[in-house]
Amino acid sequence: GQERTDGDDRWLELKDLRLYEFDDAGRLKSIAHAGTAEHRPGWWLLKDVVRTTFAERSVRQARVAEEKWASKLDSVALSASVAKPRFLDSATLKSSIEYRTRNQLDASEFEAFYWGRWFYPFNVLALCLAAMPFAFGSLRSGGYGKRVFIGIVFALGFWVTQMIFSKLAGIYHFDYRIAYAIPPLLMLSISYLMFRRRSS
């Protein structure tokens, strides 16, 4: 699939699409193979369609150039499968998460980027606050150079910890909000203890 543009209009296009239709008893009723399918609001335009219909004792095949398919298939979620989650806006990520959750599909990759963006300002604020013990005065055990080195190690440790918790959330399926909240809270706690130690 790919996204196509025509002036200001954009639509999703799928290629080599197969549609399976079943009757009320669960028996295969027909198979339609479309060369391309272009999404429109509330429906799809199928092109180069070959439809095979199964009767009780016969099989019939018909070919049409174009066919309208009324479907509520979520084009936003399908678009998300074409583009990588990191390149999607927050609204599209949220729609993709809801769609995959409704259909019992894995949405962990989308949740990781979605909640990562929400927690980004909090992480920046936490890093600024955590830098205070290194920015003011000198540590008892060293001067400016050592403070800079410890600050860099501290920031790298925060980044690694956040990455580990994010991966663990995907593996063990716990809430990404918890995974993204623990590292900055842990960092602020360590920074607060260091600040108190320096103040005492």
Side-chain angles (χ1 to χ4, degrees):
Q2 63 180 352
E3 284 190 325
R4 299 189 59 184
T5 59
D6 183 10
D8 295 331
D9 295 329
R10 300 180 64 186
W11 70 87
L12 179 68
E13 181 184 85
L14 302 177
K15 294 184 178 181
D16 195 22
L17 182 70
R18 285 176 172 81
L19 304 175
Y20 298 88
E21 183 182 4
F22 297 88
D23 60 19
D24 295 336
R27 293 186 295 266
L28 183 62
K29 186 176 180 181
S30 68
I31 301 175
H33 175 255
T36 59
E38 298 176 0
H39 180 260
R40 299 292 187 271
W43 59 283
W44 292 75
L45 178 63
L46 307 180
K47 296 184 178 181
D48 300 325
V49 182
V50 178
R51 183 177 296 277
T52 304
T53 305
F54 301 94
E56 187 173 348
R57 296 180 179 274
S58 63
V59 177
R60 181 168 54 87
Q61 192 173 79
R63 183 185 298 271
V64 294
E66 292 185 352
E67 181 177 312
K68 184 177 179 180
W69 176 39
S71 174
K72 295 182 179 180
L73 185 63
D74 196 334
S75 64
V76 174
L78 289 174
S79 297
S81 66
V82 176
K84 293 183 178 180
R86 71 176 62 186
F87 301 125
L88 300 176
D89 57 73
S90 297
T92 304
L93 284 172
K94 183 178 180 181
S95 299
S96 301
I97 292 170
E98 292 173 349
Y99 173 80
R100 289 170 180 268
T101 301
R102 286 197 308 269
N103 292 276
Q104 299 181 348
L105 300 174
D106 183 23
S108 58
E109 188 177 6
F110 295 86
E111 289 179 343
F113 285 98
Y114 178 75
W115 290 114
R117 291 179 185 177
W118 274 101
F119 277 88
Y120 180 78
F122 179 60
N123 290 337
V124 173
L125 178 61
L127 280 171
C128 292
L129 293 175
M132 291 179 64
F134 307 103
F136 299 102
S138 61
L139 295 176
R140 294 174 181 175
S141 57
Y144 179 77
K146 189 168 185 178
R147 276 184 301 165
V148 172
F149 175 75
I150 295 175
I152 293 173
V153 172
F154 197 65
L156 288 175
F158 166 73
W159 177 76
V160 171
T161 303
Q162 189 174 68
M163 184 176 64
I164 291 174
F165 273 94
S166 175
K167 297 298 183 183
L168 289 175
I171 295 172
Y172 294 105
H173 304 288
F174 63 86
D175 199 321
Y176 273 92
R177 287 169 288 188
I178 298 175
Y180 280 110
I182 290 176
L185 291 175
L186 181 62
M187 181 182 61
L188 286 174
S189 299
I190 296 173
S191 180
Y192 174 73
L193 292 175
M194 293 178 64
F195 190 77
R196 286 196 59 183
R197 182 183 175 185
R198 282 179 38 77
S199 301
S200 60

